[in-house]
Amino acid sequence: MARQSKTELYASIRRDVRDGLSIRAVMRKHGVSHPTVRQALDSAWPKPRKKMEPRATLLDPFKPVIDAMLRADLNAPRKQRHTVKRIFDRLVDEHDTQVSYGIVRRYVAERRPQIRVEAGRGPVEAFISQTHRPGAEAEVDFGDVTVRIRGQQVTCYLFSLRLSYSGKAVHRVFTSGGQEAFFEGHVHAFEVLGGVPFGKIRYDNLKAAVAQIIGFTRQRVETERWTAFRSHYGVESFYCRPGIEGAHEKGGVEGQIGWFRRNHFVPVPEVDSLAELNQMIDRWDEEDEARRIRSRPRTIGELFAAERPLLQPLPVEAFETGRHFCLRVDRHSQISVRTNRYSVPVRLIGRMVQVVLHASELVVYDGREQVARHERIRAKGGRHLELDHYLEALVRKPGALPGATALEQARAAGKFTPVHDAWWAAASKAHGDREGTRALIDVLLLNRQMNHEHVVAGIAAALRAGALTADAVALEARKAAEADDSADVPGPEPAMPAKAATVTSLTERRLAQLPPDRRPLPSVAHYDQLLRRRPPASQGPTSQEEAR
């Protein structure tokens, strides 16, 4: 039989007495004493159990001493206040007590905040619920995430802009959390939302926006580019307090980043590029609109549909989020940007070029012409070299190609494939190292006019046929391109299977494309008059002919 609670026991006693049982009979039936029956008849609720008096401890005589130390800390310098270890050491040295460290630590942890409240220094921490107007407020923050890019685990930065009313959030991942990523994240978020909040946007005191914090006030000295950006988009900024107190002032985006990271970055995503990852994030943001935050009556998407028309319209002109540099190309055909080095075409050595540094890429201009585009290097002291930038110099110095850093990076990136190596080895064996390398450089130059996949297919076909010239590779690459073009155009199925690729000379190909030549064949009969006249066949040879 299940054991009854005291409340159920009281209910049973009261029911039996109402049915006519005597108190003595009720005592025998339930096995209780007379005071218990009397208490049940007096009240349906049992009396609460008396709280035991705290037992005396060895610390009791020294509690006033500890309180005095904690009160003295209220006016002491911040870095020269009592720690639990210091309080314990003073008790042992000055009062020769045998108390344990654990009991002192528990008492100090409980008593210190009480003393601050008693002195009026620290009111009880409380969170006040807030109501946000539609389209008026937003919050911005960065959070770090770990991803695998081409098999390498790296740490990236997740930008998040969250509307306070609807909870609609837009995310973007960058390789850095610098000012370029800060601006690009805003531009992307405003374009997705279709407008800009007309009220305040809450921020941390990040270096991309704040150059100096003035005392303990809300006043900030902003960076010039951030001031120009805010003016362009009509953003009104609000900066939170430094530290954990400031994080509580924008708890919506703080919690949003944690939720997004736990639900979409577990397990760690594996991608080939940040562009692929950001496409996935855009899809996740759209799917999250069907989510309902806590006990809200409507979903994020439904609330955002009512909030979107209230946002400020976007400006007509775009804001250049990249940072501009004017740099000189060194003799290695490289430029140095933020401790990292990037290659440019060798024809620009010694010249000044314009560089635009974005959050995820770097673009180099010679005047108005774009001459190079690199993925931004995440680490410091790195180099990103394109083999194509050095081909004109390697034509004159073919012996520098085997050990070139640009070649090793091209192999690592998959642009210089094992097919290239096999064709290079065969060409060097047939023509010699110097001429074989120059032939390979001519093949690499084909990438400037043709697709990389078609060039690789042309190299493979030429290698199978034993054609070790750049002309043969170009011909086979064009055949591969034409095959792809014909495959894209729908048409009837071919009756016969396609023949294997064959190598023909460019001269035969050009002659086959010429119209038929219908002119008469040339004759040399007119030149017969230049020959010496011969005597008739009846006459014998002359004396001169005999002498011959």
Side-chain angles (χ1 to χ4, degrees):
M1 183 176 180
R3 185 176 180 179
Q4 288 181 325
S5 66
K6 204 167 186 179
T7 304
E8 294 173 341
L9 175 62
Y10 277 25
S12 300
I13 292 173
R14 293 166 67 89
R15 183 175 60 252
D16 291 341
V17 172
R18 286 195 301 268
D19 291 341
L21 288 180
S22 64
I23 293 179
R24 187 176 296 275
V26 171
M27 292 169 55
R28 287 195 300 268
K29 178 179 179 181
H30 295 284
V32 296
S33 63
H34 184 274
T36 302
V37 176
R38 183 54 59 188
Q39 291 174 6
L41 296 177
D42 292 341
S43 174
W45 290 100
K47 292 182 179 180
R49 297 184 64 177
K50 292 183 179 180
K51 194 173 183 179
M52 294 182 60
E53 293 293 335
R55 293 183 300 174
T57 64
L58 295 176
L59 188 64
D60 290 346
F62 306 102
K63 287 182 179 179
V65 178
I66 297 176
D67 291 350
M69 296 180 189
L70 296 177
R71 290 190 180 96
D73 284 346
L74 295 175
N75 299 320
R78 184 177 61 87
K79 295 185 178 180
Q80 293 177 241
R81 297 172 184 170
H82 284 85
T83 62
V84 177
K85 178 67 167 54
R86 181 55 183 157
I87 293 175
F88 175 76
D89 291 341
R90 287 190 62 184
L91 290 177
V92 173
D93 296 339
E94 299 175 9
H95 301 275
D96 193 21
T97 180
Q98 301 297 324
V99 297
S100 66
Y101 176 80
I103 193 172
V104 175
R105 180 181 59 189
R106 287 192 292 272
Y107 179 75
V108 172
E110 178 183 359
R111 190 66 179 134
R112 192 194 297 272
Q114 294 176 357
I115 290 178
R116 291 187 61 84
V117 172
E118 292 171 1
R121 298 291 186 87
V124 178
E125 187 71 25
F127 296 95
I128 310 300
S129 300
Q130 300 289 305
T131 300
H132 305 283
R133 293 180 299 162
E137 297 182 34
E139 301 170 355
V140 170
D141 199 8
F142 274 103
D144 60 290
V145 293
T146 300
V147 298
R148 286 187 175 274
I149 301 179
R150 293 186 291 270
Q152 182 181 3
Q153 184 167 307
V154 297
T155 299
C156 298
Y157 298 89
L158 177 67
F159 173 90
S160 177
L161 188 147
R162 179 182 184 271
L163 295 177
S164 300
Y165 172 75
S166 63
K168 169 65 177 176
V170 182
H171 303 85
R172 201 75 171 170
V173 169
F174 301 99
T175 56
S176 71
Q179 193 177 64
E180 299 82 18
F182 185 60
F183 288 172
E184 290 184 21
H186 277 83
V187 172
H188 173 72
F190 293 156
E191 291 177 351
V192 172
L193 298 176
V196 182
F198 62 84
K200 295 180 180 180
I201 301 181
R202 298 175 180 265
Y203 298 96
D204 280 333
N205 300 279
L206 66 171
K207 293 182 179 179
V210 177
Q212 182 182 359
I213 301 176
I214 302 177
F216 295 97
T217 66
R218 296 281 186 178
Q219 297 181 5
R220 303 291 187 269
V221 177
E222 298 180 334
T223 60
E224 291 186 1
R225 297 192 72 225
W226 171 237
T227 302
F229 183 91
R230 289 200 306 105
S231 175
H232 183 81
Y233 282 97
V235 172
E236 184 179 355
S237 58
F238 176 87
Y239 299 104
C240 302
R241 292 179 294 171
I244 189 64
E245 295 85 359
H248 293 159
E249 293 182 354
K250 54 179 184 61
V253 71
E254 296 277 355
Q256 169 65 30
I257 289 179
W259 183 91
F260 194 84
R261 183 165 43 202
R262 290 189 299 272
N263 286 270
H264 296 299
F265 283 82
V266 178
V268 176
E270 299 187 12
V271 294
D272 293 331
S273 64
L274 281 183
E276 178 184 350
L277 178 61
N278 283 319
Q279 290 179 358
M280 297 166 59
I281 290 176
D282 292 341
R283 185 175 69 253
W284 295 337
D285 286 342
E286 293 179 0
E287 295 172 354
D288 288 344
E289 291 187 3
R291 181 168 61 95
R292 182 179 287 105
I293 299 177
R294 293 193 183 95
S295 59
R296 294 189 180 187
R298 292 188 289 175
T299 64
I300 294 175
E302 292 172 346
L303 293 174
F304 176 63
E307 185 176 27
R308 186 168 189 170
L310 303 177
L311 299 175
Q312 293 184 120
L314 294 173
V316 178
E317 298 181 357
F319 186 89
E320 178 54 67
T321 59
R323 184 178 291 274
H324 289 260
F325 300 92
C326 186
L327 303 174
R328 186 178 298 277
V329 183
D330 63 13
R331 61 181 181 177
H332 297 280
S333 191
Q334 299 172 18
I335 55 175
S336 179
V337 182
R338 298 248 179 113
T339 74
N340 294 318
R341 302 182 66 82
Y342 303 87
S343 66
V344 297
V346 293
R347 60 183 173 83
L348 300 176
I349 291 178
R351 296 177 57 177
M352 301 295 294
V353 294
Q354 300 293 327
V355 179
V356 181
L357 180 65
H358 296 281
S360 301
E361 65 178 4
L362 175 141
V363 186
V364 184
Y365 294 91
D366 179 27
R368 296 186 178 181
E369 178 188 3
Q370 177 181 317
V371 295
R373 181 182 291 270
H374 295 273
E375 182 179 349
R376 184 168 176 175
I377 301 175
R378 291 181 290 272
K380 292 184 178 181
R383 286 189 295 177
H384 193 282
L385 309 181
E386 288 287 344
L387 181 58
D388 182 75
H389 294 162
Y390 295 93
L391 294 181
E392 286 82 0
L394 289 172
V395 170
R396 300 191 301 271
K397 297 180 178 180
L401 180 60
T405 305
L407 177 62
E408 294 303 320
Q409 293 190 3
R411 283 197 177 100
K415 297 180 180 179
F416 196 90
T417 64
V419 177
H420 287 83
D421 281 316
W423 192 91
W424 186 12
S428 299
K429 184 177 181 181
H431 308 300
D433 291 341
R434 183 180 183 86
E435 297 303 323
T437 302
R438 284 181 171 174
L440 174 67
I441 295 172
D442 292 338
V443 170
L444 296 176
L445 287 170
L446 296 175
N447 289 290
R448 298 182 179 180
Q449 291 84 26
M450 307 183 69
N451 189 286
H452 175 73
E453 288 75 12
H454 296 157
V455 174
V456 173
I459 295 173
L463 183 62
R464 289 193 299 268
L468 304 176
T469 62
D471 288 345
V473 174
L475 176 60
E476 294 301 324
R478 292 190 185 96
K479 289 183 179 179
E482 292 173 357
D484 286 349
D485 294 340
S486 61
D488 294 339
V489 178
E493 294 291 335
M496 299 296 292
K499 296 182 179 180
T502 58
V503 179
T504 57
S505 67
L506 292 178
T507 303
E508 294 179 1
R509 182 179 177 85
R510 296 190 187 102
L511 291 177
Q513 296 177 353
L514 294 176
D517 189 1
R518 304 184 183 280
R519 296 175 298 177
L521 294 175
S523 175
V524 295
H526 299 288
Y527 294 93
D528 291 344
Q529 59 184 345
L530 300 177
L531 299 177
R532 293 181 179 178
R533 294 183 177 275
R534 295 184 179 181
S538 60
Q539 298 181 2
T542 60
S543 59
Q544 293 180 355
E545 293 176 351
E546 291 177 354
R548 292 177 184 174

